[in-house]
Structure formats: structure tokens, C-alpha cells
Amino acid sequence: MIGRRRLLAGALGLAAPSLIAGGASAAAPRRLALLNLHTGEKLAATYFEAGRYLPDALSAIDRVLRDHRTGAVHPIAPGLLDLVASLSERLGGQGTVQVISGYRSPASNAALNVRSSGVATRSLHMQGMAMDIRVPGVDLGQVRKAALALGRGGVGYYPQSHFVHVDVGRVRQW
């Protein structure tokens, strides 16, 4: 059974456009291949199948996308997974999405905020609704352009740090 936190994260991160990943039917399987660059952990998982999210796969994804500084695990919004899966598919879907940051605990976020003006005080990373990513073999500008074209949330472009931020908050860009 899906817990209240998982259900809430799903409700927060599952906007209407996210119901269909990559233009496929709502019941089509959805897969992600992820590499956490801080821990070196890799995961390739089907996280949605037969019209439902798969709790074991979601838990495995939560673990891979945990706060690497504290080890804290938090539910990742299924809508964010759908967004990243759609983005990967749009970019050719040939490889693993590299994750610089998934979930970020409030303590980690506060520490980063002190060091950098680019870290939001109320970051959606703390709600499991944001990821900082790159896609090997795909120009970072193309990742940004594809994320913007999806129109499903925020897109931040950080070429000096070589990543694109995607989230399932309101549509915006920086």
C-alpha cells in the first residue's frame, strides 16, 4: 500500500501533462535509468506499469536520489520521474540520466544556501520535486531546450556547473 507521504508527493508532482509520459498512453510502462554522480549508484527501473506506479521501484529510486550528504531518503514526486523520463525519451532515450542532485534535506539545503546565492531557501529539492541533471552525449543547451518544450515546471540552466535543473513546480525558467 502506498503511504501518505508517497501519495502526497504524487499529488504535488503529478500535473495533468505528466499523466502521459513522452506522448505514450497513460498505461504504457515508464522507465528511467539513473546514475547518482555523488554516490556512483546506478539504477534502471520500470517505475510505472499496467496503469500504476510500482512501489518497490519508487522506493529504489528514492534511495538512489537520496541526500548524499546526510543519507536522508525522501519520496520523489512521481510527476518528476515522468518529466525526466519524457525528457530522456525526447533526447533519444539512449543512456542514463546523470543526477547531480535529487532530494536535498533541509539541513543540506541550508548549508548550500550559505555557500551559494544560487540555492533557493525553499528549494523544491527538499520536497522531492526537483533534480539537477545532465544527459551524456547531449549538449546541455539541448537538454534545456527540450525541458522548456515540455512545459511541465521550472527549468534552470547552469552551463558553468554543467547541469540543468528541472522541477514540477510552476512553469518558469532562469
Side-chain angles (χ1 to χ4, degrees):
M1 173 171 249
I2 298 174
R4 282 181 58 200
R5 286 177 51 179
R6 168 71 62 202
L7 187 60
L8 178 59
L12 290 171
L14 190 58
S18 298
L19 289 172
I20 300 175
S25 76
R30 300 178 201 158
R31 299 172 180 84
L32 268 176
L34 303 168
L35 167 63
N36 183 319
L37 293 178
H38 292 284
T39 66
E41 292 169 286
K42 292 182 182 181
L43 175 71
T46 297
Y47 66 91
F48 181 93
E49 194 168 50
R52 68 182 190 94
Y53 290 97
L54 305 176
D56 290 344
L58 293 176
S59 292
I61 291 169
D62 294 345
R63 175 117 178 96
V64 168
L65 297 180
R66 72 189 176 280
D67 184 329
H68 70 276
R69 292 168 191 85
T70 67
V73 176
H74 187 278
I76 301 299
L80 177 62
L81 303 178
D82 292 342
L83 172 105
V84 174
S86 293
L87 183 58
S88 178
E89 184 177 315
R90 183 174 279 235
L91 293 169
Q94 298 301 314
T96 300
V97 174
Q98 296 178 345
V99 180
I100 291 91
S101 183
Y103 171 66
R104 195 182 297 152
S105 70
S108 285
N109 197 74
L112 289 172
N113 181 267
V114 168
R115 294 193 330 233
S116 171
S117 63
V119 176
T121 304
R122 296 184 339 202
S123 171
L124 291 176
H125 286 279
M126 296 187 300
Q127 298 172 45
M129 295 173 60
M131 271 191 243
D132 297 336
I133 63 170
R134 64 177 72 128
V135 180
V138 179
D139 177 73
L140 199 62
Q142 286 302 110
V143 176
R144 175 184 179 265
K145 183 178 177 181
L148 288 169
L150 289 173
R152 293 197 201 163
V155 178
Y157 185 52
Y158 298 90
Q160 290 80 14
S161 300
H162 196 62
F163 71 84
V164 172
H165 167 100
V166 294
D167 67 51
V168 288
R170 63 184 167 75
V171 175
R172 65 213 187 284
Q173 65 178 299
W174 62 95

